[in-house]
Amino acid sequence: MSFYLDRWIRSTDWYPDYQLRLYDRRAARWVTRRVHESVQVDGRVRRLTRELQHYPYRDIAAHLKTIDRYTSLAARQLADEGRRAGVVDLLCHPPLAFARNYILRGGFRQGAAGLIVSALNSYYVLLKLARLWELGHRAPRGDSTREEAAGRPALKRA
C-alpha cells in the first residue's frame, strides 16, 4: 500500500499493486526496458501475507517530475515497439484511465487524494500518448521537414 498526500491509498490502480520485490537472484533475471523494468523468475512466485508500505512521492511536485520522466521513456519504448498514437487515442484513453481509477477502482472513496491520484494517472496517459504522437510526427533531423515534403517552405528556427 502507498502513502501519498498524508494518507494510505487503498484504491485506484495503486491498490492492490502486486509487485515482485523479494526474490532469489539465483532463480531470477532482470528484464530491462526503458520504463517499468521487471524480474522474471524461474519457478513459483508467492505473495506475502502482509502488505509492504510504500512511499512513492514526497509531494505532488515530485509526482509530476516522475510523470515527466516516465512518460518520455514510455513513449520512446512504445515507438521502438512500433506503436503509434492518433487523435482517437488522445481523446479516449485519458478519460477512460480516469474513469477506471476514480469510479471502477474506487478512487472516489479516498476523497481529494483519490481524485488527485486518478487525475494524475489520466494526465500520465495523456502525456505518454502525446509524446508518442509527437515522435511519430517529428521530422528526422538532417532530413527535409514535413512542410518541405508537403510543398510548403519550412520555417527557419533562430
Side-chain angles (χ1 to χ4, degrees), residues 5-156:
L5 301 176
D6 296 326
R7 68 182 308 159
W8 293 106
I9 303 297
R10 294 182 182 274
S11 65
T12 73
D13 285 347
W14 285 20
Y15 185 86
D17 183 27
Y18 300 111
Q19 299 291 326
L20 183 60
R21 305 263 189 212
L22 307 170
Y23 58 92
D24 183 343
R25 291 182 295 167
R26 298 170 296 182
R29 64 187 159 286
W30 193 245
V31 178
T32 58
R33 297 172 55 118
R34 290 180 188 269
V35 67
H36 302 302
E37 305 88 349
S38 63
V39 175
Q40 188 171 16
V41 177
D42 300 320
R44 195 171 84 163
V45 175
R46 296 184 303 171
R47 291 197 175 139
L48 296 173
T49 57
R50 299 285 193 173
E51 297 172 333
L52 289 178
Q53 296 178 348
H54 182 54
Y55 297 83
Y57 310 107
R58 167 179 72 261
D59 54 22
I60 292 172
H63 192 170
L64 288 169
K65 189 174 180 180
T66 300
I67 286 173
D68 186 48
R69 186 174 74 251
Y70 274 36
T71 55
S72 294
L73 294 169
R76 173 52 59 201
Q77 182 173 296
L78 290 169
D80 290 349
E81 294 168 359
R83 297 272 311 273
R84 296 183 58 114
V87 173
V88 172
D89 298 306
L90 293 165
L91 281 172
C92 295
H93 288 279
L96 289 173
F98 179 83
R100 182 187 68 236
N101 274 269
Y102 193 67
I103 298 167
L104 297 177
R105 300 293 313 266
F108 65 90
R109 291 190 307 261
Q110 301 275 178
L115 176 65
I116 292 167
V117 168
S118 300
L120 289 178
N121 181 268
S122 177
Y123 174 65
Y124 175 95
V125 171
L126 173 65
L127 193 55
K128 174 182 68 175
L129 293 172
R131 287 180 162 161
L132 178 59
W133 178 90
E134 180 182 45
L135 289 170
H137 289 82
R138 182 182 294 157
R141 295 187 192 267
D143 292 349
S144 64
T145 65
R146 291 193 181 276
E147 289 82 12
E148 289 170 333
R152 296 185 300 267
L155 298 173
K156 301 295 182 193

